[in-house]
Coordinates of all heavy atoms in Angstrom, one line a residue:
F1 N -13.8 13.4 50.8 CA -12.8 13.5 49.9 C -12.9 15.0 49.2 O -14.0 15.5 49.0 CB -13.0 12.6 48.8 CG -12.8 11.2 49.3 CD1 -13.9 10.2 49.5 CD2 -11.5 10.7 49.6 CE1 -13.6 9.0 49.9 CE2 -11.3 9.4 50.0 CZ -12.4 8.5 50.2
D2 N -11.8 15.5 49.0 CA -11.8 16.9 48.3 C -11.4 16.7 46.8 O -10.4 16.0 46.6 CB -10.8 17.8 49.1 CG -11.3 18.1 50.4 OD1 -12.4 18.2 50.7 OD2 -10.3 18.2 51.3
E3 N -12.0 17.3 46.0 CA -11.5 17.4 44.6 C -10.4 18.4 44.4 O -10.7 19.7 44.7 CB -12.6 17.5 43.6 CG -12.2 17.3 42.2 CD -13.4 16.9 41.3 OE1 -14.4 16.4 41.8 OE2 -13.3 17.3 40.1
V4 N -9.3 18.2 43.9 CA -8.2 19.1 43.8 C -7.5 18.9 42.5 O -7.6 17.9 41.8 CB -7.1 18.9 44.9 CG1 -7.7 19.3 46.3 CG2 -6.5 17.5 45.0
K5 N -6.6 19.8 42.1 CA -5.8 19.7 40.9 C -4.3 19.9 41.2 O -4.0 20.9 41.9 CB -6.2 20.7 39.9 CG -5.6 20.6 38.4 CD -6.3 21.5 37.5 CE -5.8 21.3 36.2 NZ -6.5 20.3 35.4
V6 N -3.5 18.9 40.9 CA -2.1 19.0 41.3 C -1.3 18.6 40.0 O -1.5 17.6 39.4 CB -1.9 17.8 42.3 CG1 -0.3 17.9 42.7 CG2 -2.6 18.1 43.6
E7 N -0.4 19.6 39.7 CA 0.5 19.4 38.5 C -0.2 18.8 37.3 O 0.2 17.7 36.8 CB 1.6 18.6 39.0 CG 2.6 19.3 40.0 CD 3.8 18.4 40.2 OE1 4.2 17.6 39.4 OE2 4.4 18.7 41.3
N8 N -1.3 19.4 36.8 CA -2.0 19.0 35.6 C -2.7 17.7 35.7 O -3.0 17.2 34.6 CB -0.9 19.1 34.3 CG -0.4 20.4 34.2 OD1 -1.0 21.4 34.3 ND2 1.0 20.5 33.9
Y9 N -2.9 17.1 36.8 CA -3.7 15.9 36.9 C -5.0 16.3 37.5 O -5.1 17.0 38.5 CB -2.9 15.0 37.8 CG -1.7 14.4 37.3 CD1 -0.5 14.8 37.7 CD2 -1.7 13.4 36.3 CE1 0.7 14.3 37.1 CE2 -0.6 12.9 35.7 CZ 0.6 13.4 36.1 OH 1.8 12.8 35.6
D10 N -6.0 15.8 36.9 CA -7.4 15.9 37.6 C -7.5 14.8 38.6 O -7.7 13.6 38.2 CB -8.5 15.8 36.6 CG -8.5 17.0 35.6 OD1 -8.2 18.1 36.2 OD2 -8.7 16.9 34.5
I11 N -7.4 15.2 39.8 CA -7.5 14.2 40.9 C -9.0 14.1 41.4 O -9.5 15.1 41.7 CB -6.5 14.6 42.2 CG1 -5.2 14.6 41.6 CG2 -6.8 13.7 43.3 CD1 -4.1 15.1 42.6
I12 N -9.5 12.9 41.3 CA -10.8 12.8 41.6 C -11.1 12.9 43.1 O -12.0 13.4 43.6 CB -11.4 11.5 41.0 CG1 -11.4 11.5 39.5 CG2 -12.8 11.1 41.6 CD1 -11.6 10.3 38.9
S13 N -10.2 12.3 43.9 CA -10.2 12.4 45.3 C -8.9 12.3 45.9 O -7.9 11.7 45.3 CB -11.2 11.4 45.9 OG -10.7 10.1 45.7
K14 N -8.6 13.0 47.0 CA -7.4 12.9 47.8 C -7.8 12.6 49.2 O -8.6 13.3 49.8 CB -6.7 14.2 47.7 CG -5.2 14.2 48.5 CD -4.7 15.6 48.3 CE -3.3 15.6 49.1 NZ -2.8 16.8 49.1
H15 N -7.2 11.7 49.8 CA -7.4 11.2 51.2 C -6.1 11.2 51.9 O -5.2 10.6 51.5 CB -8.0 9.9 51.2 CG -8.4 9.4 52.6 ND1 -7.9 8.1 53.0 CD2 -9.1 10.0 53.6 CE1 -8.4 8.0 54.2 NE2 -9.0 9.1 54.6
M16 N -6.0 12.0 53.1 CA -4.8 11.9 53.8 C -5.2 12.3 55.3 O -5.9 13.1 55.6 CB -3.9 13.1 53.3 CG -2.5 13.0 53.9 SD -1.3 14.2 53.1 CE -1.5 15.5 54.3
R17 N -4.7 11.4 56.1 CA -4.8 11.5 57.6 C -3.4 11.6 58.2 O -2.5 11.0 57.5 CB -5.6 10.4 58.1 CG -7.0 10.4 57.7 CD -7.8 9.1 58.4 NE -9.0 9.1 57.9 CZ -9.9 8.0 58.0 NH1 -9.3 6.9 58.4 NH2 -11.1 8.1 57.5
P18 N -3.3 12.2 59.3 CA -1.9 12.2 60.0 C -1.3 10.8 60.1 O -2.1 9.9 60.5 CB -2.2 12.8 61.3 CG -3.4 13.7 61.1 CD -4.3 12.9 60.1
N19 N -0.1 10.6 59.9 CA 0.6 9.3 60.0 C 0.1 8.2 59.1 O 0.2 7.0 59.4 CB 0.6 8.9 61.5 CG 1.3 9.9 62.4 OD1 2.3 10.6 61.9 ND2 0.6 10.2 63.4
E20 N -0.6 8.5 58.1 CA -1.1 7.5 57.2 C -0.7 7.8 55.7 O -0.2 9.0 55.5 CB -2.6 7.4 57.2 CG -3.2 6.8 58.4 CD -4.6 6.7 58.3 OE1 -5.3 6.7 57.2 OE2 -5.3 6.4 59.3
T21 N -0.6 6.8 54.9 CA -0.3 7.1 53.5 C -1.3 8.0 52.8 O -2.5 7.8 53.0 CB -0.3 5.7 52.8 OG1 0.7 4.9 53.4 CG2 0.2 5.8 51.3
T22 N -0.8 8.8 51.9 CA -1.8 9.6 51.1 C -2.4 8.7 50.0 O -1.5 7.9 49.4 CB -1.1 10.8 50.5 OG1 -0.5 11.6 51.5 CG2 -1.9 11.6 49.6
S23 N -3.5 8.8 49.7 CA -4.1 8.1 48.5 C -4.8 9.1 47.6 O -5.5 10.0 48.1 CB -5.1 6.9 49.0 OG -6.2 7.4 49.6
L24 N -4.7 8.8 46.3 CA -5.4 9.5 45.3 C -6.2 8.7 44.4 O -5.9 7.4 44.4 CB -4.3 10.2 44.4 CG -3.2 11.1 45.1 CD1 -2.2 11.6 44.0 CD2 -3.9 12.3 45.7
T25 N -7.1 9.2 43.8 CA -7.9 8.5 42.7 C -7.8 9.2 41.4 O -8.1 10.4 41.4 CB -9.4 8.3 43.1 OG1 -9.5 7.6 44.4 CG2 -10.1 7.6 42.1
L26 N -7.3 8.7 40.4 CA -7.0 9.3 39.1 C -7.7 8.4 38.0 O -7.9 7.2 38.2 CB -5.5 9.4 38.8 CG -4.6 10.1 39.9 CD1 -3.2 10.0 39.4 CD2 -5.1 11.6 39.9
K27 N -7.9 9.1 36.9 CA -8.4 8.3 35.8 C -7.4 7.5 35.1 O -7.9 6.5 34.5 CB -9.0 9.5 34.7 CG -10.2 10.2 35.3 CD -10.6 11.3 34.4 CE -11.8 12.1 35.0 NZ -12.1 13.1 34.1
E28 N -6.2 7.8 35.1 CA -5.2 7.0 34.4 C -3.9 7.1 35.2 O -3.6 8.0 36.0 CB -5.0 7.4 32.9 CG -4.6 9.0 32.9 CD -4.6 9.4 31.4 OE1 -5.5 9.0 30.6 OE2 -3.7 10.1 31.1
R29 N -3.0 6.2 34.9 CA -1.7 6.1 35.6 C -0.9 7.4 35.3 O -0.6 7.6 34.1 CB -1.0 4.9 35.2 CG 0.4 4.8 35.9 CD 1.2 3.6 35.4 NE 2.5 3.5 36.0 CZ 3.3 2.5 35.8 NH1 3.0 1.6 35.0 NH2 4.5 2.7 36.4
P30 N -0.4 8.1 36.2 CA 0.5 9.2 36.0 C 2.0 8.7 35.7 O 2.4 7.6 36.2 CB 0.5 10.0 37.3 CG 0.2 9.0 38.3 CD -0.6 7.9 37.7
E31 N 2.7 9.4 34.9 CA 4.1 9.1 34.7 C 4.9 9.3 35.9 O 5.8 8.6 36.2 CB 4.7 10.0 33.5 CG 4.1 9.6 32.1 CD 4.5 8.2 31.7 OE1 5.7 7.9 31.9 OE2 3.6 7.6 31.1
R32 N 4.6 10.4 36.6 CA 5.3 10.8 37.8 C 4.2 11.0 38.9 O 3.1 11.4 38.7 CB 6.1 12.1 37.7 CG 7.1 12.0 36.5 CD 8.2 10.9 36.6 NE 9.2 11.3 37.6 CZ 10.2 10.5 37.9 NH1 10.5 9.4 37.2 NH2 11.2 11.0 38.7
C33 N 4.6 10.9 40.2 CA 3.7 11.1 41.3 C 3.3 12.6 41.3 O 4.2 13.5 41.3 CB 4.4 10.8 42.6 SG 3.3 11.2 44.1
P34 N 1.9 12.9 41.3 CA 1.5 14.2 41.4 C 1.8 15.0 42.7 O 1.7 16.2 42.7 CB 0.0 14.1 41.3 CG -0.3 12.8 40.8 CD 0.8 12.0 41.2
I35 N 2.2 14.3 43.8 CA 2.5 14.8 45.0 C 4.0 15.2 45.1 O 4.3 16.3 45.5 CB 2.1 13.9 46.2 CG1 0.6 13.5 46.1 CG2 2.5 14.5 47.6 CD1 -0.3 14.7 46.4
C36 N 4.9 14.3 44.8 CA 6.3 14.6 45.0 C 7.1 14.4 43.7 O 8.3 14.8 43.8 CB 6.9 13.6 46.0 SG 7.1 11.9 45.5
G37 N 6.5 14.0 42.6 CA 7.3 13.8 41.4 C 8.1 12.5 41.3 O 8.9 12.3 40.3
G38 N 7.9 11.6 42.3 CA 8.7 10.3 42.3 C 8.2 9.3 41.2 O 7.1 9.6 40.5
E39 N 8.8 8.3 40.9 CA 8.4 7.2 40.0 C 7.1 6.5 40.5 O 7.0 6.2 41.7 CB 9.5 6.2 39.8 CG 10.6 6.6 39.0 CD 11.6 5.3 38.7 OE1 11.1 4.5 37.9 OE2 12.7 5.5 39.1
V40 N 6.3 6.2 39.6 CA 5.0 5.4 40.0 C 5.1 4.1 39.5 O 5.3 3.9 38.3 CB 3.8 6.2 39.6 CG1 2.6 5.4 39.8 CG2 3.7 7.6 40.2
W41 N 5.0 3.0 40.3 CA 5.1 1.7 39.9 C 3.7 1.1 40.0 O 2.9 1.4 40.9 CB 6.1 0.9 40.8 CG 7.5 1.2 40.5 CD1 8.0 2.4 39.8 CD2 8.6 0.6 41.0 NE1 9.3 2.3 39.8 CE2 9.8 1.3 40.5 CE3 8.8 -0.6 41.8 CZ2 11.1 0.8 40.9 CZ3 10.1 -0.9 42.2 CH2 11.3 -0.3 41.6
E42 N 3.4 0.0 39.2 CA 2.3 -0.7 39.2 C 2.2 -1.6 40.4 O 3.2 -2.2 40.9 CB 2.1 -1.6 38.0 CG 0.8 -2.5 37.9 CD 0.8 -3.3 36.7 OE1 1.7 -3.3 35.8 OE2 -0.3 -3.9 36.5
I43 N 1.1 -1.8 41.1 CA 0.9 -2.8 42.2 C 0.2 -4.0 41.6 O -0.8 -3.9 40.9 CB 0.0 -2.2 43.3 CG1 0.7 -1.0 43.8 CG2 -0.1 -3.2 44.4 CD1 -0.2 -0.2 44.9
V44 N 0.9 -5.2 41.8 CA 0.3 -6.4 41.3 C -0.1 -7.2 42.6 O 0.7 -7.3 43.6 CB 1.4 -7.2 40.5 CG1 0.9 -8.5 40.1 CG2 1.7 -6.3 39.3
Y45 N -1.2 -7.9 42.6 CA -1.8 -8.7 43.6 C -1.7 -10.2 43.3 O -1.6 -10.6 42.1 CB -3.3 -8.2 43.9 CG -3.2 -6.8 44.4 CD1 -3.4 -5.8 43.5 CD2 -3.1 -6.6 45.7 CE1 -3.4 -4.5 44.1 CE2 -3.1 -5.2 46.2 CZ -3.3 -4.2 45.3 OH -3.2 -2.9 45.8
G46 N -1.6 -11.0 44.3 CA -1.4 -12.3 44.2 C -0.1 -12.9 44.7 O 0.9 -12.0 44.9
E47 N 0.2 -14.1 44.7 CA 1.5 -14.6 45.2 C 2.4 -14.8 44.0 O 2.0 -15.6 43.1 CB 1.3 -16.0 45.9 CG 2.5 -16.4 46.6 CD 2.3 -17.7 47.5 OE1 1.1 -17.9 47.8 OE2 3.2 -18.3 47.8
P48 N 3.5 -14.0 44.0 CA 4.4 -14.1 42.9 C 5.3 -15.3 42.8 O 5.5 -15.9 43.9 CB 5.3 -12.9 43.1 CG 5.3 -12.7 44.5 CD 4.0 -13.1 45.0
T49 N 5.7 -15.8 41.7 CA 6.7 -16.8 41.6 C 8.0 -16.3 42.1 O 8.2 -15.1 42.2 CB 6.9 -17.3 40.1 OG1 7.3 -16.2 39.4 CG2 5.5 -17.8 39.6
A50 N 8.9 -17.1 42.4 CA 10.3 -16.7 42.8 C 11.0 -15.9 41.7 O 11.6 -14.8 42.0 CB 11.1 -17.9 43.2
E51 N 10.8 -16.3 40.5 CA 11.4 -15.5 39.4 C 10.8 -14.1 39.3 O 11.4 -13.1 39.0 CB 11.2 -16.3 38.1 CG 12.0 -17.5 38.0 CD 11.3 -18.8 38.6 OE1 10.0 -18.6 38.8 OE2 11.8 -19.8 38.9
A52 N 9.4 -14.0 39.4 CA 8.8 -12.8 39.3 C 9.2 -11.8 40.5 O 9.4 -10.7 40.3 CB 7.2 -13.0 39.3
Y53 N 9.3 -12.3 41.7 CA 9.7 -11.6 42.8 C 11.2 -11.1 42.6 O 11.4 -9.9 43.0 CB 9.6 -12.4 44.1 CG 9.8 -11.6 45.3 CD1 8.8 -10.8 45.9 CD2 11.1 -11.7 46.0 CE1 9.1 -10.0 46.9 CE2 11.3 -10.8 47.1 CZ 10.2 -10.1 47.6 OH 10.6 -9.3 48.7
E54 N 12.1 -11.9 42.1 CA 13.4 -11.4 41.8 C 13.5 -10.3 40.9 O 14.4 -9.5 40.9 CB 14.3 -12.6 41.5 CG 14.5 -13.6 42.6 CD 15.3 -13.0 43.7 OE1 16.1 -12.3 43.4 OE2 14.9 -13.4 44.9
S55 N 12.6 -10.2 39.9 CA 12.6 -9.3 38.8 C 11.8 -8.0 39.1 O 11.6 -7.2 38.3 CB 12.3 -9.9 37.5 OG 10.9 -10.2 37.4
R56 N 11.2 -7.9 40.3 CA 10.3 -6.9 40.7 C 10.9 -5.4 40.4 O 10.3 -4.5 40.0 CB 9.7 -7.0 42.1 CG 10.7 -6.8 43.1 CD 10.2 -7.3 44.5 NE 11.1 -7.0 45.5 CZ 12.2 -7.5 45.7 NH1 12.6 -8.6 45.1 NH2 13.0 -7.3 46.8
I57 N 12.1 -5.2 40.8 CA 12.8 -4.0 40.7 C 13.0 -3.6 39.1 O 12.6 -2.5 38.8 CB 14.1 -3.9 41.4 CG1 14.0 -4.3 42.9 CG2 14.8 -2.6 41.2 CD1 13.5 -3.3 43.8
E58 N 13.5 -4.6 38.4 CA 13.6 -4.3 37.0 C 12.3 -4.1 36.3 O 12.3 -3.3 35.4 CB 14.3 -5.6 36.4 CG 14.6 -5.5 34.9 CD 15.2 -6.8 34.5 OE1 16.1 -7.3 35.2 OE2 14.8 -7.2 33.3
D59 N 11.3 -4.8 36.7 CA 10.0 -4.6 36.1 C 9.1 -3.5 36.7 O 8.1 -3.2 36.2 CB 9.2 -6.0 36.2 CG 9.8 -7.1 35.5 OD1 10.6 -6.8 34.5 OD2 9.5 -8.3 35.9
K60 N 9.7 -2.8 37.7 CA 9.0 -1.7 38.4 C 7.7 -2.0 38.9 O 6.6 -1.5 38.5 CB 9.0 -0.5 37.4 CG 10.4 0.0 37.2 CD 10.3 1.4 36.3 CE 11.7 1.7 36.1 NZ 11.8 3.1 35.5
I61 N 7.6 -3.2 39.7 CA 6.3 -3.7 40.2 C 6.5 -3.8 41.7 O 7.5 -4.2 42.3 CB 6.2 -5.1 39.7 CG1 5.8 -5.1 38.2 CG2 5.0 -5.8 40.4 CD1 5.7 -6.4 37.5
I62 N 5.4 -3.4 42.4 CA 5.2 -3.7 43.8 C 4.2 -4.6 44.0 O 3.1 -4.7 43.4 CB 4.7 -2.3 44.4 CG1 5.8 -1.2 44.3 CG2 4.3 -2.5 45.9 CD1 5.2 0.2 44.7
Y63 N 4.6 -5.6 44.9 CA 3.6 -6.7 45.2 C 2.6 -6.2 46.4 O 3.2 -5.9 47.4 CB 4.3 -8.1 45.4 CG 4.9 -8.6 44.2 CD1 6.1 -8.6 43.9 CD2 3.9 -9.2 43.4 CE1 6.6 -9.0 42.6 CE2 4.4 -9.7 42.1 CZ 5.7 -9.6 41.8 OH 6.2 -10.1 40.5
G64 N 1.4 -6.3 46.1 CA 0.4 -5.8 47.1 C -0.1 -6.9 47.9 O -1.1 -6.6 48.7
G65 N 0.4 -8.1 47.9 CA -0.1 -9.2 48.7 C -1.2 -10.1 48.0 O -1.5 -9.7 46.9
C66 N -1.6 -11.0 48.7 CA -2.5 -12.0 48.1 C -4.1 -11.8 48.4 O -5.0 -12.4 47.8 CB -2.2 -13.4 48.4 SG -2.1 -13.7 50.1
C67 N -4.2 -10.8 49.4 CA -5.7 -10.6 49.8 C -6.2 -9.4 48.9 O -5.6 -8.2 49.0 CB -5.7 -10.2 51.2 SG -5.3 -11.6 52.2
V68 N -7.1 -9.6 48.1 CA -7.7 -8.6 47.1 C -9.1 -8.2 47.7 O -9.9 -9.1 48.0 CB -7.8 -9.1 45.8 CG1 -8.4 -8.1 44.8 CG2 -6.4 -9.5 45.3
T69 N -9.3 -6.9 47.9 CA -10.7 -6.5 48.4 C -11.6 -6.0 47.4 O -12.7 -5.8 47.7 CB -10.4 -5.4 49.4 OG1 -9.9 -4.3 48.7 CG2 -9.5 -5.8 50.5
G70 N -11.1 -5.7 46.2 CA -11.9 -5.1 45.2 C -11.8 -3.6 45.2 O -12.4 -2.9 44.3
H71 N -11.2 -3.1 46.3 CA -10.9 -1.6 46.4 C -9.5 -1.4 46.7 O -9.2 -1.0 47.9 CB -11.9 -0.9 47.4 CG -11.7 0.6 47.5 ND1 -12.0 1.4 46.5 CD2 -11.1 1.3 48.4 CE1 -11.7 2.6 46.8 NE2 -11.2 2.6 48.0
D72 N -8.6 -1.8 45.8 CA -7.2 -1.8 46.1 C -6.5 -0.8 45.2 O -7.0 -0.6 44.0 CB -6.6 -3.2 45.9 CG -7.3 -4.2 46.7 OD1 -7.2 -4.1 47.9 OD2 -8.0 -5.1 46.2
P73 N -5.4 -0.2 45.6 CA -4.8 0.8 44.8 C -4.0 0.0 43.6 O -3.7 -1.2 43.6 CB -3.6 1.3 45.7 CG -3.5 0.4 46.8 CD -4.8 -0.2 46.9
A74 N -4.0 0.8 42.5 CA -3.4 0.2 41.3 C -1.9 0.6 41.1 O -1.2 -0.1 40.5 CB -4.1 0.7 40.1
W75 N -1.6 1.7 41.7 CA -0.2 2.2 41.6 C 0.3 2.7 42.9 O -0.5 3.2 43.8 CB -0.1 3.2 40.5 CG -0.8 2.9 39.2 CD1 -0.3 2.0 38.3 CD2 -1.9 3.4 38.7 NE1 -1.1 1.9 37.3 CE2 -2.2 2.7 37.4 CE3 -2.8 4.3 39.2 CZ2 -3.3 3.0 36.7 CZ3 -4.0 4.6 38.4 CH2 -4.2 3.9 37.1
E76 N 1.6 2.9 43.1 CA 2.2 3.5 44.2 C 3.5 4.3 43.9 O 4.3 3.8 43.1 CB 2.5 2.4 45.2 CG 3.0 3.2 46.6 CD 3.1 2.1 47.7 OE1 2.3 1.2 47.9 OE2 4.1 2.2 48.5
C77 N 3.7 5.5 44.5 CA 4.9 6.2 44.3 C 6.0 5.5 45.2 O 5.8 5.3 46.4 CB 4.7 7.7 44.8 SG 6.2 8.6 44.8
I78 N 7.1 5.3 44.6 CA 8.2 4.7 45.4 C 9.0 5.6 46.3 O 9.8 5.2 47.1 CB 9.2 3.8 44.5 CG1 9.9 4.7 43.5 CG2 8.4 2.7 43.8 CD1 11.0 4.0 42.8
K79 N 8.7 6.9 46.1 CA 9.5 7.9 46.9 C 8.6 8.3 48.1 O 9.2 8.2 49.3 CB 9.7 9.2 46.0 CG 10.5 10.3 46.7 CD 10.8 11.4 45.8 CE 11.5 12.5 46.4 NZ 11.7 13.6 45.5
C80 N 7.3 8.7 47.9 CA 6.5 9.1 49.0 C 5.5 8.2 49.5 O 4.8 8.4 50.4 CB 5.9 10.5 48.7 SG 4.5 10.5 47.6
H81 N 5.3 7.1 48.7 CA 4.4 6.0 49.0 C 2.9 6.3 48.9 O 2.1 5.7 49.5 CB 4.7 5.3 50.4 CG 6.1 4.8 50.4 ND1 6.5 3.7 49.8 CD2 7.2 5.3 51.1 CE1 7.8 3.5 50.0 NE2 8.2 4.5 50.7
T82 N 2.6 7.4 48.2 CA 1.3 7.7 47.8 C 0.7 6.6 47.1 O 1.2 6.1 46.0 CB 1.2 9.1 47.0 OG1 1.6 10.2 47.9 CG2 -0.2 9.3 46.5
Q83 N -0.4 6.1 47.5 CA -1.1 5.1 46.8 C -2.1 5.7 45.9 O -2.9 6.6 46.3 CB -1.8 4.1 47.8 CG -0.7 3.3 48.5 CD -1.3 2.3 49.4 OE1 -2.4 2.4 49.9 NE2 -0.6 1.2 49.7
I84 N -2.3 5.2 44.6 CA -3.1 5.7 43.7 C -4.1 4.7 43.2 O -3.7 3.6 42.7 CB -2.3 6.3 42.4 CG1 -1.2 7.3 43.0 CG2 -3.2 6.9 41.4 CD1 -0.2 7.7 41.9
Y85 N -5.4 5.0 43.4 CA -6.5 4.1 42.9 C -6.9 4.5 41.4 O -6.9 5.8 41.1 CB -7.7 4.3 43.8 CG -7.4 3.8 45.2 CD1 -6.7 4.5 46.1 CD2 -7.8 2.5 45.5 CE1 -6.4 4.0 47.4 CE2 -7.6 2.0 46.8 CZ -6.9 2.8 47.7 OH -6.6 2.3 49.0
Q86 N -7.4 3.6 40.7 CA -7.8 4.0 39.4 C -9.3 4.2 39.4 O -10.1 3.4 39.9 CB -7.5 2.9 38.4 CG -7.9 3.3 36.9 CD -7.3 2.4 35.8 OE1 -6.9 1.2 36.2 NE2 -7.2 2.8 34.7
A87 N -9.8 5.4 38.8 CA -11.2 5.6 38.8 C -11.9 4.6 37.9 O -11.3 4.2 36.9 CB -11.4 7.0 38.4
D88 N -13.1 4.3 38.2 CA -13.9 3.4 37.3 C -14.4 4.1 36.1 O -14.6 5.2 36.0 CB -15.2 3.0 38.1 CG -14.7 2.0 39.3 OD1 -13.7 1.4 39.1 OD2 -15.5 2.0 40.2

């Protein structure tokens, strides 16, 4: 992992491989994606209710599935799909 600075964010690590999603580790949720400036939505894990799934766009939530590993991204850019992990 390389430590870099992008648009006033202290990025703890940046991981990118060809044909894969870029992932970042940040101390806090950014208002906009440090890579492309897109909206950053929270990723929620677990099985959503039907009502929760229907309101996901309005609530700006991405469902990350029901399998939780303990090392899962907290946020994702809806434009470039960069996944952002929260630093401990």
Side-chain angles (χ1 to χ4, degrees):
F1 295 105
D2 297 322
E3 192 160 325
V4 294
K5 191 170 181 92
V6 178
E7 292 186 19
N8 300 320
Y9 292 101
D10 289 320
I11 297 174
I12 294 170
S13 63
K14 179 181 177 186
H15 181 231
M16 189 169 97
R17 292 185 182 154
N19 302 317
E20 289 188 13
T21 302
T22 300
S23 65
L24 306 173
T25 301
L26 301 176
K27 295 177 183 176
E28 57 188 40
R29 178 184 178 176
E31 291 294 320
R32 307 297 284 179
C33 176
I35 303 299
C36 75
E39 283 188 67
V40 174
W41 288 12
E42 179 180 6
I43 300 174
V44 175
Y45 295 91
E47 191 169 342
T49 64
E51 295 83 18
Y53 187 78
E54 290 298 319
S55 68
R56 71 192 183 283
I57 304 279
E58 180 182 321
D59 296 338
K60 298 185 178 186
I61 291 174
I62 296 170
Y63 286 102
C66 59
C67 297
V68 179
T69 67
H71 182 69
D72 303 294
W75 312 288
E76 183 172 321
C77 173
I78 63 166
K79 184 176 177 185
C80 73
H81 303 287
T82 292
Q83 294 184 331
I84 305 169
Y85 293 79
Q86 185 167 19
D88 295 331

